[in-house]
Amino acid sequence: MSTSGQQQFRYTQTPSKVLHLRNLPWDCSDEELVELCKPFGKIVNTKCNVGANRNQAFVEFADLNQAINMVSYYASSSEPAQVRGKTVYIQYSNRNEIVNNKSPGDVPGNVLLVTIEGVEAGDVSIDVIHLVFSAFGFVQKIATFEKAAGFQALIQFSDVGTASAAREALDGRSIPKYLLPEHVNHCHLRISYSAHTDLNIKFQSHRSRDYTNPYLPVNPTAMEGVLQPVVGPDGKKKEPESNVLFASLENMQYAVTVDVLNTVFSAFGTVQKIAIFEKNGQTQALIQYPDVTIAAAAKDALEGHCIYDGGYCKLHLSYSRHTDLNVQAYSDKSRDYTVPESSLLAMQQASAVHATPPVWHNPQSGPVQSSAGYATTSTVPGQAPPAWNPNFQGGGSTFPSAPTGYPGHSYAPPAPAYATAVHPPGSSQQTNHIATGSRPFSVSQPFQPSTMPPGGVPPPGHAPYHG
């Protein structure tokens, strides 16, 4: 709109003793408004920091003619009204008086709405936000998001008093420079109260955090955070390494369980935690090692390999942005191997009590060895058949395996040999290694692929590898 158009707009408005001022500094004070307007008459009321960007205000004069004088002066003046060097646009308001009703952002509450100005999403991590605000008390929950006003966060405290203290101390302040990326020059906090009282956080991720619930599952999108690129010795961008691997599996002919992944990845070192989830119809997983070295070795050896012969359950690995997974200790989709075995056994027993029906055993029945080499028992009606044991194959040994060592005996047993795998019907015979297309799977400790029954379906609870 042209200058003449703006002047015409002002003149055609119905005069009011309340003026509407726009394009003010977002933290403009009442004193600055009074200083601008008092040459034209007595100011009886002001209202600052109005609008989505808090850059508007209302000024009420004691008399209508005083307001008309101010609008007329700046409409004809060659120098516009200014506050801190910013041009201020003045027009009549459609109200006749200022009613200082408190907006929802002024009503004290335990949840703060924080707008972080001068940054993009990802420049300020949720850990930095937690560090800044936890200086005033226990931060229960944080949720970050992007709106038209910019990068924002909801921060929940346990009580109104703590939230009020944080707002009074941090509103208008800047986050310390050493907590910000190098390309961020300034970072101002604009804080108001939120109408929320209890945030609903569904997942732990780089965008939301619930510090009151350490057992909340990890969000599958947590690995989508922005990471700073690392340059290798050759000058090319290098993927930042981590002790947590992100695995996506394709060609899922067979189910992949927590035990299966533990068997595969524990060949390179101790696996601490595993979490399996579904995203966009694809099975994905997070595998945590105690250090980056083990994770890097596992990634280099397993990338592009398949868990089952025939190209099934192919692994694609990358580093995760996580360093410590927050997972349930024992469930179908997650496992925490750092939990003491006694606690884990108690969980397993508790789940078995609820899941396994009672089976009556005949104390008079004993094991019978069949000619085919299977260990069988006499069964009675209602008794479950014995579990299938892959070690009892036709022509296989029926003797129990010998211990690997004896007290005082220094003899080391020989390395296990590969066994012939049974391939699913219709598949071509392949050598006994993890199928990779044309290159064999080679690690420091050889794998023995699991023996599948005819039809290619793995036995229940049977892991694909035996190290």
Side-chain angles (χ1 to χ4, degrees):
M1 183 182 294
S2 65
T3 304
S4 60
Q6 291 182 353
Q7 292 178 353
Q8 182 67 22
F9 176 69
R10 295 191 185 98
Y11 288 133
T12 56
Q13 283 185 294
T14 302
S16 170
K17 62 180 181 179
V18 178
L19 299 183
H20 179 206
L21 286 72
R22 297 179 292 113
N23 200 42
L24 292 162
W26 67 269
D27 56 345
C28 180
S29 63
D30 292 309
E31 291 76 11
E32 289 176 300
L33 283 180
V34 172
E35 187 68 24
L36 175 66
C37 302
K38 69 180 182 181
F40 302 94
K42 182 180 179 181
I43 309 299
V44 297
N45 204 352
T46 60
K47 188 172 184 179
C48 294
N49 311 124
V50 178
N53 295 321
R54 299 179 65 180
N55 62 349
Q56 304 178 42
F58 294 96
V59 177
E60 180 180 349
F61 285 93
D63 182 73
L64 176 62
N65 291 328
Q66 296 171 348
I68 294 175
N69 288 339
M70 183 173 182
V71 172
S72 301
Y73 173 81
Y74 284 111
S76 58
S77 174
S78 59
E79 296 182 0
Q82 291 186 340
V83 173
R84 298 190 212 166
K86 294 190 67 175
T87 299
V88 179
Y89 302 103
I90 305 172
Q91 63 188 42
Y92 296 114
S93 173
N94 56 7
R95 65 183 71 184
N96 293 319
E97 62 178 348
I98 296 176
V99 179
N100 283 321
N101 294 327
K102 287 188 176 181
S103 64
D106 297 326
V107 179
N110 67 313
V111 179
L112 298 178
L113 173 61
V114 181
T115 301
I116 306 175
E117 298 183 332
V119 300
E120 300 291 337
D123 289 341
V124 180
S125 69
I126 199 168
D127 294 323
V128 169
I129 297 174
H130 178 260
L131 178 65
V132 171
F133 283 85
S134 61
F136 301 90
F138 176 62
V139 175
Q140 293 183 326
K141 302 176 184 180
I142 298 177
T144 61
F145 48 90
E146 297 175 63
K147 292 287 187 178
F151 182 57
Q152 295 181 313
L154 288 170
I155 302 171
Q156 176 178 325
F157 288 95
S158 57
D159 57 84
V160 178
T162 306
S164 299
R167 180 177 185 257
E168 290 296 326
L170 296 176
D171 189 23
R173 302 288 296 276
S174 298
I175 294 178
K177 179 70 175 177
Y178 66 88
L179 294 176
L180 301 173
E182 294 182 358
H183 66 276
V184 177
N185 296 322
H186 63 278
C187 178
H188 296 295
L189 301 176
R190 185 155 47 89
I191 306 174
S192 61
Y193 294 107
S194 170
H196 295 281
T197 57
D198 188 17
L199 302 179
N200 183 16
I201 306 297
K202 296 181 179 180
F203 298 99
Q204 309 280 22
S205 73
H206 66 288
R207 302 301 297 269
S208 62
R209 203 68 57 84
D210 185 349
Y211 299 97
T212 66
N213 185 8
Y215 301 104
L216 203 64
V218 176
N219 190 349
T221 61
M223 67 289 302
E224 295 178 358
V226 178
L227 297 173
Q228 296 295 327
V230 178
V231 180
D234 55 355
K236 296 181 179 180
K237 288 186 178 180
K238 181 181 177 183
E239 183 183 13
E241 294 183 344
S242 170
N243 66 311
V244 179
L245 295 179
F246 168 60
S248 60
L249 296 98
E250 65 178 32
N251 198 12
M252 291 287 294
Q253 181 72 14
Y254 307 115
V256 175
T257 64
V258 173
D259 293 330
V260 169
L261 291 179
N262 181 49
T263 304
V264 173
F265 285 88
S266 61
F268 304 91
T270 302
V271 173
Q272 293 183 325
K273 301 176 184 179
I274 294 177
I276 301 177
F277 48 89
E278 299 286 334
K279 182 182 178 183
N280 299 328
Q282 185 182 37
T283 300
Q284 299 178 348
L286 292 170
I287 300 96
Q288 177 178 325
Y289 285 105
D291 57 65
V292 177
T293 304
I294 301 176
K299 178 180 180 296
D300 292 340
L302 293 176
E303 168 60 28
H305 290 276
C306 301
I307 296 178
Y308 295 100
D309 283 341
Y312 301 126
C313 304
K314 187 175 182 179
L315 289 168
H316 294 285
L317 301 175
S318 61
Y319 293 108
S320 169
R321 65 185 302 274
H322 292 285
T323 57
D324 189 14
L325 301 179
N326 185 3
V327 300
Q328 293 184 6
Y330 183 80
S331 71
D332 294 338
K333 295 294 185 181
S334 64
R335 197 70 50 85
D336 186 349
Y337 299 99
T338 63
V339 175
E341 292 185 2
S342 57
S343 301
L344 189 60
L345 181 60
M347 297 179 190
Q348 293 173 332
Q349 291 176 345
S351 61
V353 168
H354 296 285
T356 306
V359 178
W360 179 79
H361 294 277
N362 184 1
Q364 297 179 355
S365 64
V368 178
Q369 183 67 34
S370 67
S371 60
Y374 290 94
T376 62
T377 58
S378 59
T379 60
V380 297
Q383 181 176 350
W388 178 77
N389 190 338
N391 292 324
F392 291 106
Q393 302 277 345
S397 174
T398 61
F399 296 98
S401 59
T404 56
Y406 300 93
H409 196 270
S410 60
Y411 172 72
Y418 287 94
T420 302
V422 178
H423 302 275
S427 64
S428 59
Q429 294 294 328
Q430 300 178 10
T431 55
N432 292 301
H433 55 253
I434 301 179
T436 61
S438 59
R439 56 192 180 99
F441 173 63
S442 175
V443 292
S444 57
Q445 296 181 355
F447 280 111
Q448 179 178 347
S450 65
T451 300
M452 302 182 195
V457 180
H462 189 53
Y465 297 115
H466 295 282

